[in-house]
Amino acid sequence: EADIYQTPRYLVIGTGKKITLECSQTMGHDKMYWYQQDPGMELHLIHYSYGVNSTEKGDLSSESTVSRIRTEHFPLTLESARPSHTSQYLCASSEFYGGNEQFFGPGTRLTVL
Amino acid sequence: AQTVTQSQPEMSVQEAETVTLSCTYDTSESDYYLFWYKQPPSRQMILVIRQEAYKQQNATENRFSVNFQKAAKSFSLKISDSQLGDAAMYFCAYRSVDREYGNKLVFGAGTILRVKS
């Protein structure tokens, strides 16, 4: 079944650690997105990609980086995690053209101690 | 830049009753898309309903319908016959058709909907 997956679902780590949040989709979508969402708050776009080897920064500045080497895979990396990075990270994907919806993954809830 | 405003941080509704969630937006564009997304507690965000600005007819999906007032830049969501499973955070979102903005969504702050049995 076509879907969008995120791992891990929950992550608790110490300050200074390098982490990678995984996002994969099996829907054949060209466009992928990363959003940051604090509990009970709105979503803020931090990264997006139009296809392989395409990455752009979103509206909210983030110390994270992303890569898009394969169409289905869009990982997000934090080189040195800090408590200020504690948040929920949502991955989404959509078709390239049209008003089609963005499909969201289940999210990764990150806590940095 | 476009903005989306949801003025109701929290709403409550009795099971089987009707509730309306408000959303206003600001844009200088004449063509765009509007969405309502639902985010249940600890579960995946899903699309509830979508409206294309060039269509005058209000979108409807089963118990969910919108009141799209383009001149007033208003896009409210009506949930009829509310069910316990409707309890969630609801986000209103705007998407430009301008390729400069790609498929990026601008979200409102969200409205928490509680359903009482």
Side-chain angles (χ1 to χ4, degrees), chain A residues 31-102:
Chain A
K31 293 191 171 183
M32 296 188 74
Y33 315 81
W34 275 104
Y35 293 90
Q36 184 174 342
Q37 182 188 27
D38 290 330
M41 302 293 286
E42 65 209 276
L43 284 72
H44 293 284
L45 182 69
I46 52 174
H47 298 283
Y48 61 100
S49 167
Y50 289 158
V52 171
N53 294 326
S54 152
T55 60
E56 301 285 345
K57 288 197 175 292
D59 303 319
L60 181 68
S61 176
S62 174
E63 294 168 345
S64 59
T65 59
V66 292
S67 61
R68 190 89 182 275
I69 299 172
R70 302 197 318 264
T71 299
E72 63 273 17
H73 194 215
F74 190 42
L76 179 145
T77 298
L78 277 166
E79 290 293 332
S80 179
R82 296 205 300 267
S84 61
H85 296 139
T86 294
S87 189
Q88 174 162 250
Y89 293 84
L90 294 172
C91 182
S93 71
S94 70
E95 294 180 2
F96 196 89
Y97 293 111
N100 295 321
E101 66 183 282
Q102 288 187 16

Side-chain angles (χ1 to χ4, degrees), chain B:
Chain B
Q2 299 87 11
T3 58
V4 177
T5 303
Q6 292 179 250
S7 59
Q8 304 155 318
E10 191 170 326
M11 293 282 285
S12 291
V13 63
Q14 200 70 33
E15 202 174 2
E17 297 292 310
T18 296
V19 65
T20 298
L21 307 184
S22 301
C23 173
T24 58
Y25 57 94
D26 188 30
T27 184
S28 59
E29 299 178 325
S30 59
D31 197 14
Y32 44 86
Y33 297 93
L34 296 166
F35 305 86
W36 278 98
Y37 277 89
K38 171 185 177 182
Q39 187 178 38
S42 301
R43 290 178 60 191
Q44 214 146 335
M45 176 112 66
I46 58 172
L47 178 71
V48 175
I49 200 164
R50 174 177 64 211
Q51 176 79 41
E52 290 136 336
Y54 67 86
K55 290 187 177 180
Q56 293 185 341
Q57 188 173 6
N58 289 323
T60 299
E61 288 287 342
N62 300 314
R63 297 182 296 109
F64 298 88
S65 62
V66 299
N67 184 5
F68 173 49
Q69 301 289 328
K70 191 173 183 180
K73 296 180 184 175
S74 171
F75 183 60
S76 60
L77 174 69
K78 185 172 83 170
I79 305 174
S80 304
D81 186 25
S82 297
Q83 301 174 0
L84 293 177
D86 294 333
M89 185 91 153
Y90 286 81
F91 291 96
C92 179
Y94 173 102
R95 196 212 125 192
S96 171
V97 298
D98 189 333
R99 289 194 177 184
E100 177 184 351
Y101 298 104
N103 274 28
K104 291 189 288 182
L105 292 173
V106 177
F107 285 90
T111 296
I112 296 172
L113 177 65
R114 303 190 193 281
V115 181
K116 302 175 184 176
S117 58

Side-chain angles (χ1 to χ4, degrees), chain A residues 18-29:
Chain A
K18 177 180 179 179
I19 60 166
T20 296
L21 308 184
E22 301 289 348
C23 175
S24 295
Q25 50 95 4
T26 57
M27 293 182 283
H29 288 164

Side-chain angles (χ1 to χ4, degrees), chain A residues 8-12 37 39 87-89 107-111, chain B residues 42:
Chain A
R9 291 292 310 279
Y10 302 91
L11 180 62
V12 181
Q37 182 188 27
S87 189
Q88 174 162 250
Y89 293 84
T108 294
R109 191 170 295 279
L110 172 66
T111 302
Chain B
S42 301

